């Protein structure tokens, strides 16, 4: 498709050149469709149309042009030869994703650029880089050591590329808690209060904070920074308590916040922070973030600095009234309020789209109604980061369509735009939810069950989750899902690769999900023929499928992330394969009478936790691999040094 763009294009040309291959467009000097590019009447309005045989894009802000270019090409591809006009008004000043770059998956420059291309077509204009210790600080060699930390040059390159599209990139760091991966090192133990929290009140910590803020912000054009400070329940309860004695957490936190903000102001930055600790400390329990009855005391409100924006995070509620109440609870803090929702790729191989889309629809409509002008879609990588941020693009498309519509966008509208921006059908994206939204789940998987992960990693002989899935027919479910994924794929599409790992995972789980149940049943029935068949045929076949899954996952990882962190998943896959081999040997020892019983299969199965289908909490949730793999001790550390 040839386009003859006319107007002031100097600032737009680098972005146009970056997107041209994806859009299938080429510049034209004489022939081709004329596209007149001009400023719109307002910085918040975008207008795209065709009149008298010529197209036009009128935009208010740089990023809007690239959404407009995508909208125009989409209409032209559809064969639009009649006059048309699309008028949109931007509902949020800033909207975009937060990529978790701290839980093993550190995006490569190339992967970041591919994601930014998609964001540009969607019209998103902000991206937050969540980096606990994955950025370099001069003089702190253990900060991000062997963790794939970004250099200043790498972050600057990401920022430069984002700026091509008018996308504002900025850092999100931690200046209080969530620093376990840095504080684990013995040479930096002087910074540590507890396992994950800094020792506040120490001059060395104050100096570290100043260098963290300077190093994280230096590569970016943006003067904004997220300083974290969430989930710091252990604050002041470790070395701090020994050194200074007991103090109220609120007093400790506000004193530390003042020092962090001093470092931020010294760099000329605009700070934001997670709001949960203030809401928790104000609740009756002192720990409940979503208590609808929480009231911020006047004394607390008075002591919270007004120049730090509060980021209200909420990933699970589906009722607009819940968001309205929580926003009202935040108002007494007096700070600018920012919202953070989620596209659920946390702790799963899939995407919990049932929860993500419904919760985001409710949240974003309330944000627009309540005048909140900034919203983010977090994509956490908890416990090893098996998930894939590219698989979350349908969720980002929903955020983008909300950003340009006063009303809730229809799912058909979101689907059409996602197909254009990503090349993938929405229905194909939605298949990824069925890795976890299995029989026995609550509607839309609103209880966040994650069987795609715990059924892969659970031990065949120990069967920790067998009781919770018994009778649900998950082997048949995953067999059907494998075929549905296979049939939905779009060979040749750039993003078709995101389905390779889910498809391979289904090939494992159709055999392994109910394996423990079958082994226990055969053992109890003393069916040695079934046990021998399992040992010599079934388990080796599953182990081969696991090796194929590992190979696909490794290829996916190396296309997206730096190599650091893959070793964690490599070890997990090796553990699955080795335990399948061990199970085969145990079964053969029994059926060939070398042992008179298999103690693991003698044990009666129990439900894993209270999160199970017997009390309407789905098929279960587990946050940690080591708890999925074994009930025994992986490590026990009182004092690691």
């Amino acid at each position: 498709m040839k386009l003859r763009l006319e107007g002031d294009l100097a600032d737009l040309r680098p972005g146009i050149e970056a997107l041209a291959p994806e859009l299938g467009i080429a510049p034209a000097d004489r022939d081709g469709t004329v596209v007149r590019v001009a400023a719109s009447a307002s910085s918040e309005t975008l207008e795209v149309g065709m009149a008298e045989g010529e197209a036009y894009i009128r935009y208010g802000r740089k990023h809007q042009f690239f959404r407009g270019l995508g909208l125009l090409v989409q209409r032209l591809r559809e064969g639009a030869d009649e006059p048309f006009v699309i008028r949109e008004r931007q509902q949020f000043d800033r909207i975009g994703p937060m990529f978790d770059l701290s839980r093993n998956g550190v995006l490569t420059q190339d992967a970041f650029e591919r994601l930014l291309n998609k964001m540009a077509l969607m019209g998103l204009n902000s991206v937050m880089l969540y980096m606990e210790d994955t950025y370099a600080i001069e003089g702190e060699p253990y900060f991000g050591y062997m963790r794939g930390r970004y250099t200043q040059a790498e972050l600057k390159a990401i920022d430069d590329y984002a700026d091509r599209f008018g996308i504002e990139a900025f850092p999100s760091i931690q200046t209080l808690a969530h620093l376990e991966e840095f504080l684990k090192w013995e040479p930096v133990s002087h910074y540590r209060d507890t396992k994950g929290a800094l020792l506040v009140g120490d001059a060395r910590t104050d100096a570290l904070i100043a260098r963290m803020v300077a190093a994280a912000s230096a590569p970016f054009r943006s003067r904004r920074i997220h300083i974290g400070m969430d989930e710091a329940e252990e604050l002041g309860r470790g070395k701090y308590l020994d050194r200074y004695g007991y103090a109220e957490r609120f007093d400790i936190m506000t004193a530390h916040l003042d020092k962090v903000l001093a470092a931020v102001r010294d760099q000329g930055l605009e700070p934001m922070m997670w709001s949960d600790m203030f809401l928790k400390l104000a609740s009756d329990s002192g720990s409940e973030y979503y208590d609808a009855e929480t009231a911020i005391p006047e004394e607390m409100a008075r002591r919270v600095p007004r120049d730090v924006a509060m980021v209200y995070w909420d990933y699970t509620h589906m009722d607009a009234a819940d968001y309205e109440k929580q926003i009202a609870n935040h108002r007494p803090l007096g700070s600018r309020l920012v919202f953070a929702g989620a596209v659920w790729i946390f702790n799963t191989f899939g995407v919990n789209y049932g929860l993500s889309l419904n919760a985001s629809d409710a949240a974003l409509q309330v944000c627009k109604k309540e005048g909140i002008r900034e919203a983010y879609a977090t994509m956490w990588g908890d416990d090893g980061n098996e998930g894939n941020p590219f698989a979350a693009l349908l969720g980002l498309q929903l955020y983008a369509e909300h950003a340009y519509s006063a009303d809730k966008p229809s799912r058909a509208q979101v689907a059409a735009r996602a197909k254009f921006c990503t090349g993938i059908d929405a229905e194909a994206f939605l298949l990824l939810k069925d890795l976890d939204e299995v029989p026995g789940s609550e509607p839309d998987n609103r209880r966040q069950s994650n069987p795609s992960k715990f059924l892969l990693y659970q031990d065949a002989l120990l069967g920790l989750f067998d009781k919770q899935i018994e009778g649900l027919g998950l082997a048949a479910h995953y067999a059907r899902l494998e075929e549905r994924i296979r049939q939905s794929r779009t060979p040749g599409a750039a993003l078709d690769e995101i389905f390779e790992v889910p498809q391979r995972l289904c090939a494992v789980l159709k055999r392994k999900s109910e394996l423990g149940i079958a082994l226990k049943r055969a053992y109890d029935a003393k069916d040695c023929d079934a046990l021998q068949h399992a040992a010599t045929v079934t388990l080796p076949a599953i182990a081969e499928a696991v090796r194929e899954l590992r190979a696909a996952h490794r290829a996916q990882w190396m296309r997206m992330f730096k190599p650091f962190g893959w070793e964690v998943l490599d070890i997990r896959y090796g553990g699955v394969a080795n335990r399948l081999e061990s199970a085969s040997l145990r079964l053969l020892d029994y059926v060939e009478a070398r042992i008179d019983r298999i103690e693991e299969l003698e044990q009666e199965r129990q439900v894993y936790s209270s999160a199970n289908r017997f009390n309407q909490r789905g098929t279960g949730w587990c946050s940690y691999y080591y708890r999925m793999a074994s009930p025994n001790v992986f490590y026990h550390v009182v004092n690691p040094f």
Side-chain angles (χ1 to χ4, degrees), residues 175-176 200-201 206 209 227-229 232 235-236 240 247-263 265 273-275 277-279 281-282 296-308 310 333 335:
T175 57
L176 180 55
V200 303
D206 296 341
I209 293 290
I227 58 173
M229 302 191 70
L235 176 63
Y240 181 98
E248 293 287 345
R249 282 183 296 167
F250 179 71
D251 293 334
I252 301 173
M253 186 165 178
T254 52
H256 182 63
L257 177 58
D258 286 342
K259 292 181 178 179
V260 174
L261 291 180
R265 293 171 187 134
M273 65 178 285
W274 305 112
S275 68
M277 285 304 295
F278 290 123
L279 273 291
L281 294 173
I296 301 294
E298 184 177 339
E299 171 64 12
M300 176 183 285
R302 185 179 61 80
R303 293 174 61 187
V304 174
R306 295 297 191 264
D307 63 342
V308 55
M310 291 291 158
L333 291 172
S335 303

Side-chain angles (χ1 to χ4, degrees), residues 475-492:
H477 168 82
Y478 285 115
R480 289 191 298 270
L481 182 58
E482 179 190 18
E483 186 57 29
R484 290 168 65 203
I485 292 174
R486 188 193 318 277
Q487 293 179 358
S488 73
R489 295 184 64 171
T490 309

Side-chain angles (χ1 to χ4, degrees), residues 327-341:
I327 289 170
N329 285 351
H330 280 77
R331 296 296 191 194
L333 291 172
S335 303
R336 180 170 58 87
L337 191 57
V338 175
F339 177 73

Side-chain angles (χ1 to χ4, degrees), residues 575-635:
V576 173
N578 285 345
R579 286 299 296 161
L580 288 167
E581 180 184 356
S582 291
S584 292
L585 295 174
R586 291 285 285 161
L587 295 177
L588 289 174
D589 281 346
Y590 177 71
V591 299
E592 295 171 4
R594 285 185 289 276
I595 57 175
D596 61 2
R597 62 184 182 139
I598 301 175
E599 291 184 77
E600 302 95 318
L601 296 178
E602 292 278 339
Q603 301 289 315
E604 285 303 311
R605 294 338 193 203
Q606 307 294 331
V607 294
Y608 179 81
S609 72
S610 60
N612 60 65
R613 76 182 202 268
F614 306 112
N615 58 11
Q616 289 73 55
R617 294 187 64 186
T619 52
W621 173 267
C622 186
S623 297
Y624 302 107
Y625 157 78
Y626 71 91
R627 292 299 185 207
M628 301 172 192
S630 170
N632 290 298
V633 177
F634 266 57
Y635 58 86

Side-chain angles (χ1 to χ4, degrees), residues 307-325:
D307 63 342
V308 55
M310 291 291 158
V311 184
Y312 157 44
W313 55 268
D314 195 332
Y315 312 143
T316 60
H317 291 100
M318 295 193 185
D319 191 333
D322 291 321
Y323 295 101
E324 291 167 354
K325 183 61 178 175

Side-chain angles (χ1 to χ4, degrees), residues 128-194:
M128 198 188 309
L129 286 73
Y130 180 75
M131 303 178 291
E132 291 174 355
D133 67 330
T134 49
Y135 58 99
I137 301 177
E138 188 174 353
E140 292 292 346
Y142 287 95
F143 200 82
Y145 175 57
M146 290 294 180
R147 295 253 295 138
R149 64 190 172 204
Y150 287 118
T151 65
Q152 296 274 298
E154 287 173 321
L155 290 175
K156 184 179 184 305
I158 290 169
D159 185 61
D160 286 344
Y161 195 83
D163 186 62
R164 291 186 178 196
F165 308 114
I167 296 173
E168 181 182 22
F170 67 96
S172 173
I173 65 173
Q174 289 290 357
T175 57
L176 180 55
H178 282 300
L179 287 167
E180 292 89 345
E181 299 311 313
F182 171 53
L183 296 176
K184 69 176 180 279
W185 298 108
E186 183 275 332
V188 300
S189 60
H190 52 280
Y191 293 132
R192 186 175 61 244
D193 178 13
T194 62

